[in-house]
Amino acid sequence: MRPRPHGRHRHGPLRRTLTAARRPAVAATLALTALAASAAGWSATGASLDGGLISASDTTDAQQVTNGRALDTFAGTPVDIERQRSARRAAYRDGVEKEAARIRQQEARKAAREQARQEKARREAKERAEARKRAQERAEAKERAAAAREAQEEQASRSEQRSAPAPTGDPRSIAQSMLASFGWDASQFGCLNALWNKESGWDVGATNPSSGAYGIPQALPGSKMATAGGDWQTNPATQIRWGLGYIQASYGSPCGAWGHSQATGWY
């Protein structure tokens, strides 16, 4: 003989039914079943009522309205919840998309600013390079112009010296007359006389047998004096002009050249 259930197991099937009734779908089914039974009962009652106070059709219509409200009550709630969840999900997606769009716009603006900065830096570097190039070209042009002027002045000076009438007479007198044109006074002649007495004795055709130095100033080689005139081999004025120019460029003055010659034996 099976033992009789006690406690909470005593009404097991009923409890399971009540528990299942709490579920929305089951509750809706039970409610529809109860409403259908009530509608049938009311229809029968209305049809049998004496005097026709409530007709069967009126009862059925009222019951259908009640059934519709019950359906709305039991079946509409999960739909509303799902709609709310869908709305929240849609709002979340919209928020995520808006935030992503905002970040993309921010990154695009940042990239545009960086590109503009780099473009500006490249443009400024190019302008600086072009400015340096132009400055260098101007400096080089100025140097070329200065060199051209110097060459022209030198050429003009040589042409003037060549076209000037050559002094004649004693070589010492010629040298004395040329000192002023080189910026020296008469006191320099003593040093010049001593220097060229030692070198050539003021002889136009003096030639050093060991080195080949030639003329009054002992130019080495003698052809250097051609810059002062084509008659450098025979004209004392041409040799003296070249010799005074060499002394000025190398020692500053005849006394400077004579001092160097005394110290070293040559000038």
Side-chain angles (χ1 to χ4, degrees), residues 17 24 33 37 58 63 67 79 86 99 105 107 111 116 126 129 134 139 154-155 162 217 227 234 238 248:
T17 303
T33 303
D58 293 340
Q63 193 63 37
N67 291 345
V79 173
S86 299
E99 181 64 16
Q105 292 177 356
E107 293 295 329
K126 182 178 180 180
R134 288 193 297 268
E154 184 178 357
Q155 184 67 28
R162 291 174 183 174
T227 57
T234 58
T238 301
Q248 186 181 50

mmCIF file of all heavy atoms in Angstrom, residues 17 24 33 37 58 63 67 79 86 99 105 107 111 116 126 129 134 139 154-155 162 217 227 234 238 248:
data_model
loop_
_atom_site.group_PDB
_atom_site.id
_atom_site.type_symbol
_atom_site.label_atom_id
_atom_site.label_comp_id
_atom_site.label_asym_id
_atom_site.label_seq_id
_atom_site.Cartn_x
_atom_site.Cartn_y
_atom_site.Cartn_z
ATOM 1 N N THR A 17 -0.322 23.112 -10.814
ATOM 2 C CA THR A 17 -1.250 23.883 -11.648
ATOM 3 C C THR A 17 -1.196 25.352 -11.305
ATOM 4 O O THR A 17 -1.187 26.221 -12.179
ATOM 5 C CB THR A 17 -2.663 23.346 -11.473
ATOM 6 O OG1 THR A 17 -2.690 21.962 -11.809
ATOM 7 C CG2 THR A 17 -3.657 24.115 -12.356
ATOM 8 N N PRO A 24 2.952 33.829 -17.778
ATOM 9 C CA PRO A 24 2.062 34.670 -18.592
ATOM 10 C C PRO A 24 1.277 33.915 -19.646
ATOM 11 O O PRO A 24 0.063 34.133 -19.805
ATOM 12 C CB PRO A 24 3.038 35.648 -19.240
ATOM 13 C CG PRO A 24 4.195 35.702 -18.292
ATOM 14 C CD PRO A 24 4.307 34.328 -17.725
ATOM 15 N N THR A 33 -10.063 30.390 -21.173
ATOM 16 C CA THR A 33 -10.970 29.251 -20.943
ATOM 17 C C THR A 33 -12.094 29.623 -19.994
ATOM 18 O O THR A 33 -13.267 29.334 -20.220
ATOM 19 C CB THR A 33 -10.183 28.059 -20.385
ATOM 20 O OG1 THR A 33 -9.131 27.742 -21.303
ATOM 21 C CG2 THR A 33 -11.075 26.848 -20.198
ATOM 22 N N ALA A 37 -16.187 29.898 -20.775
ATOM 23 C CA ALA A 37 -17.222 29.188 -20.000
ATOM 24 C C ALA A 37 -18.239 30.161 -19.445
ATOM 25 O O ALA A 37 -19.455 29.921 -19.474
ATOM 26 C CB ALA A 37 -16.577 28.390 -18.876
ATOM 27 N N ASP A 58 -26.896 40.613 -26.267
ATOM 28 C CA ASP A 58 -26.287 41.659 -25.418
ATOM 29 C C ASP A 58 -25.274 41.063 -24.482
ATOM 30 O O ASP A 58 -24.205 41.617 -24.236
ATOM 31 C CB ASP A 58 -27.380 42.389 -24.628
ATOM 32 C CG ASP A 58 -28.297 43.196 -25.538
ATOM 33 O OD1 ASP A 58 -27.842 43.485 -26.685
ATOM 34 O OD2 ASP A 58 -29.409 43.533 -25.112
ATOM 35 N N GLN A 63 -19.637 40.191 -23.004
ATOM 36 C CA GLN A 63 -18.594 39.245 -22.635
ATOM 37 C C GLN A 63 -17.401 39.355 -23.583
ATOM 38 O O GLN A 63 -16.254 39.218 -23.179
ATOM 39 C CB GLN A 63 -19.158 37.817 -22.679
ATOM 40 C CG GLN A 63 -18.218 36.805 -22.011
ATOM 41 C CD GLN A 63 -18.050 37.123 -20.540
ATOM 42 O OE1 GLN A 63 -18.985 37.545 -19.880
ATOM 43 N NE2 GLN A 63 -16.835 36.963 -20.030
ATOM 44 N N ASN A 67 -13.648 39.858 -22.656
ATOM 45 C CA ASN A 67 -12.583 38.971 -23.132
ATOM 46 C C ASN A 67 -11.454 39.762 -23.791
ATOM 47 O O ASN A 67 -10.272 39.450 -23.621
ATOM 48 C CB ASN A 67 -13.168 37.967 -24.134
ATOM 49 C CG ASN A 67 -14.098 36.972 -23.443
ATOM 50 O OD1 ASN A 67 -14.064 36.872 -22.215
ATOM 51 N ND2 ASN A 67 -14.915 36.278 -24.222
ATOM 52 N N VAL A 79 4.566 41.970 -24.679
ATOM 53 C CA VAL A 79 4.836 42.717 -25.915
ATOM 54 C C VAL A 79 5.359 44.099 -25.588
ATOM 55 O O VAL A 79 6.313 44.600 -26.201
ATOM 56 C CB VAL A 79 3.560 42.798 -26.770
ATOM 57 C CG1 VAL A 79 3.777 43.708 -27.973
ATOM 58 C CG2 VAL A 79 3.133 41.408 -27.216
ATOM 59 N N SER A 86 13.374 46.731 -27.095
ATOM 60 C CA SER A 86 13.800 47.085 -28.456
ATOM 61 C C SER A 86 14.097 48.571 -28.566
ATOM 62 O O SER A 86 15.081 48.980 -29.208
ATOM 63 C CB SER A 86 12.706 46.695 -29.460
ATOM 64 O OG SER A 86 12.465 45.300 -29.429
ATOM 65 N N GLU A 99 28.274 58.523 -31.056
ATOM 66 C CA GLU A 99 29.593 58.677 -30.435
ATOM 67 C C GLU A 99 30.698 58.308 -31.423
ATOM 68 O O GLU A 99 31.734 58.991 -31.503
ATOM 69 C CB GLU A 99 29.687 57.791 -29.191
ATOM 70 C CG GLU A 99 31.019 57.883 -28.443
ATOM 71 C CD GLU A 99 31.270 59.251 -27.868
ATOM 72 O OE1 GLU A 99 30.310 60.053 -27.762
ATOM 73 O OE2 GLU A 99 32.431 59.530 -27.526
ATOM 74 N N GLN A 105 34.655 62.395 -36.620
ATOM 75 C CA GLN A 105 34.770 63.811 -36.968
ATOM 76 C C GLN A 105 35.942 64.465 -36.250
ATOM 77 O O GLN A 105 36.694 65.258 -36.830
ATOM 78 C CB GLN A 105 33.469 64.539 -36.635
ATOM 79 C CG GLN A 105 32.294 64.136 -37.498
ATOM 80 C CD GLN A 105 31.006 64.833 -37.084
ATOM 81 O OE1 GLN A 105 30.990 65.566 -36.100
ATOM 82 N NE2 GLN A 105 29.939 64.583 -37.836
ATOM 83 N N GLU A 107 38.661 62.957 -35.128
ATOM 84 C CA GLU A 107 39.901 62.472 -35.738
ATOM 85 C C GLU A 107 40.151 63.124 -37.092
ATOM 86 O O GLU A 107 41.284 63.450 -37.450
ATOM 87 C CB GLU A 107 39.845 60.944 -35.889
ATOM 88 C CG GLU A 107 39.844 60.182 -34.575
ATOM 89 C CD GLU A 107 41.141 60.373 -33.815
ATOM 90 O OE1 GLU A 107 42.181 60.550 -34.481
ATOM 91 O OE2 GLU A 107 41.120 60.313 -32.575
ATOM 92 N N ALA A 111 43.358 65.256 -38.021
ATOM 93 C CA ALA A 111 44.197 64.934 -39.183
ATOM 94 C C ALA A 111 44.325 66.127 -40.117
ATOM 95 O O ALA A 111 45.396 66.400 -40.673
ATOM 96 C CB ALA A 111 43.618 63.728 -39.923
ATOM 97 N N ALA A 116 47.569 70.454 -42.321
ATOM 98 C CA ALA A 116 47.781 71.887 -42.561
ATOM 99 C C ALA A 116 49.086 72.352 -41.922
ATOM 100 O O ALA A 116 49.836 73.150 -42.510
ATOM 101 C CB ALA A 116 46.603 72.677 -42.003
ATOM 102 N N LYS A 126 60.545 75.728 -47.699
ATOM 103 C CA LYS A 126 60.829 76.028 -49.098
ATOM 104 C C LYS A 126 61.127 77.508 -49.283
ATOM 105 O O LYS A 126 62.069 77.886 -50.012
ATOM 106 C CB LYS A 126 59.638 75.615 -49.959
ATOM 107 C CG LYS A 126 59.842 75.834 -51.447
ATOM 108 C CD LYS A 126 58.633 75.365 -52.226
ATOM 109 C CE LYS A 126 58.830 75.595 -53.732
ATOM 110 N NZ LYS A 126 57.643 75.146 -54.507
ATOM 111 N N ALA A 129 64.588 78.222 -47.973
ATOM 112 C CA ALA A 129 65.622 77.741 -48.899
ATOM 113 C C ALA A 129 65.738 78.664 -50.108
ATOM 114 O O ALA A 129 66.852 78.982 -50.555
ATOM 115 C CB ALA A 129 65.281 76.310 -49.342
ATOM 116 N N ARG A 134 68.525 82.941 -53.053
ATOM 117 C CA ARG A 134 68.564 84.283 -53.639
ATOM 118 C C ARG A 134 69.665 85.129 -53.005
ATOM 119 O O ARG A 134 70.367 85.876 -53.710
ATOM 120 C CB ARG A 134 67.203 84.966 -53.461
ATOM 121 C CG ARG A 134 66.102 84.391 -54.345
ATOM 122 C CD ARG A 134 64.893 85.297 -54.344
ATOM 123 N NE ARG A 134 64.310 85.408 -53.013
ATOM 124 C CZ ARG A 134 63.345 84.620 -52.558
ATOM 125 N NH1 ARG A 134 62.861 83.661 -53.321
ATOM 126 N NH2 ARG A 134 62.854 84.784 -51.352
ATOM 127 N N ALA A 139 74.973 87.596 -53.397
ATOM 128 C CA ALA A 139 76.351 87.735 -52.928
ATOM 129 C C ALA A 139 77.343 87.366 -54.028
ATOM 130 O O ALA A 139 78.358 88.058 -54.233
ATOM 131 C CB ALA A 139 76.568 86.861 -51.692
ATOM 132 N N GLU A 154 92.167 97.683 -62.894
ATOM 133 C CA GLU A 154 93.551 97.287 -63.104
ATOM 134 C C GLU A 154 93.936 97.437 -64.568
ATOM 135 O O GLU A 154 95.036 97.916 -64.895
ATOM 136 C CB GLU A 154 93.747 95.842 -62.650
ATOM 137 C CG GLU A 154 95.181 95.357 -62.748
ATOM 138 C CD GLU A 154 95.334 93.937 -62.242
ATOM 139 O OE1 GLU A 154 94.336 93.361 -61.767
ATOM 140 O OE2 GLU A 154 96.459 93.392 -62.334
ATOM 141 N N GLN A 155 93.010 97.012 -65.442
ATOM 142 C CA GLN A 155 93.289 97.137 -66.868
ATOM 143 C C GLN A 155 93.427 98.609 -67.271
ATOM 144 O O GLN A 155 94.316 98.980 -68.062
ATOM 145 C CB GLN A 155 92.172 96.473 -67.679
ATOM 146 C CG GLN A 155 92.407 96.470 -69.177
ATOM 147 C CD GLN A 155 93.583 95.597 -69.579
ATOM 148 O OE1 GLN A 155 93.904 94.622 -68.887
ATOM 149 N NE2 GLN A 155 94.239 95.943 -70.680
ATOM 150 N N ARG A 162 100.711 102.462 -69.664
ATOM 151 C CA ARG A 162 101.337 102.203 -70.953
ATOM 152 C C ARG A 162 101.207 103.402 -71.890
ATOM 153 O O ARG A 162 102.100 103.676 -72.694
ATOM 154 C CB ARG A 162 100.697 100.966 -71.600
ATOM 155 C CG ARG A 162 101.049 99.674 -70.865
ATOM 156 C CD ARG A 162 100.287 98.515 -71.427
ATOM 157 N NE ARG A 162 100.558 97.286 -70.697
ATOM 158 C CZ ARG A 162 99.937 96.127 -70.915
ATOM 159 N NH1 ARG A 162 98.983 96.051 -71.838
ATOM 160 N NH2 ARG A 162 100.258 95.056 -70.213
ATOM 161 N N PRO A 217 115.233 95.685 -61.748
ATOM 162 C CA PRO A 217 114.677 95.115 -60.525
ATOM 163 C C PRO A 217 114.969 93.627 -60.355
ATOM 164 O O PRO A 217 114.552 93.024 -59.359
ATOM 165 C CB PRO A 217 113.177 95.348 -60.689
ATOM 166 C CG PRO A 217 112.955 95.348 -62.154
ATOM 167 C CD PRO A 217 114.188 95.920 -62.777
ATOM 168 N N THR A 227 103.981 92.874 -68.229
ATOM 169 C CA THR A 227 102.716 93.460 -67.769
ATOM 170 C C THR A 227 102.813 94.981 -67.669
ATOM 171 O O THR A 227 101.776 95.660 -67.640
ATOM 172 C CB THR A 227 102.334 92.891 -66.388
ATOM 173 O OG1 THR A 227 103.395 93.144 -65.457
ATOM 174 C CG2 THR A 227 102.088 91.389 -66.464
ATOM 175 N N THR A 234 114.308 96.545 -72.824
ATOM 176 C CA THR A 234 115.236 97.639 -73.135
ATOM 177 C C THR A 234 114.882 98.973 -72.490
ATOM 178 O O THR A 234 115.744 99.862 -72.396
ATOM 179 C CB THR A 234 115.295 97.860 -74.652
ATOM 180 O OG1 THR A 234 113.967 98.148 -75.134
ATOM 181 C CG2 THR A 234 115.834 96.628 -75.353
ATOM 182 N N THR A 238 110.010 101.181 -68.115
ATOM 183 C CA THR A 238 109.111 100.022 -67.988
ATOM 184 C C THR A 238 109.580 99.105 -66.863
ATOM 185 O O THR A 238 108.766 98.615 -66.055
ATOM 186 C CB THR A 238 109.063 99.248 -69.323
ATOM 187 O OG1 THR A 238 108.612 100.124 -70.357
ATOM 188 C CG2 THR A 238 108.156 98.045 -69.230
ATOM 189 N N GLN A 248 105.806 97.485 -53.854
ATOM 190 C CA GLN A 248 104.616 97.934 -53.123
ATOM 191 C C GLN A 248 103.742 96.750 -52.709
ATOM 192 O O GLN A 248 103.231 96.686 -51.587
ATOM 193 C CB GLN A 248 103.816 98.904 -53.995
ATOM 194 C CG GLN A 248 102.635 99.526 -53.273
ATOM 195 C CD GLN A 248 101.866 100.465 -54.175
ATOM 196 O OE1 GLN A 248 101.503 100.103 -55.296
ATOM 197 N NE2 GLN A 248 101.638 101.694 -53.692
#
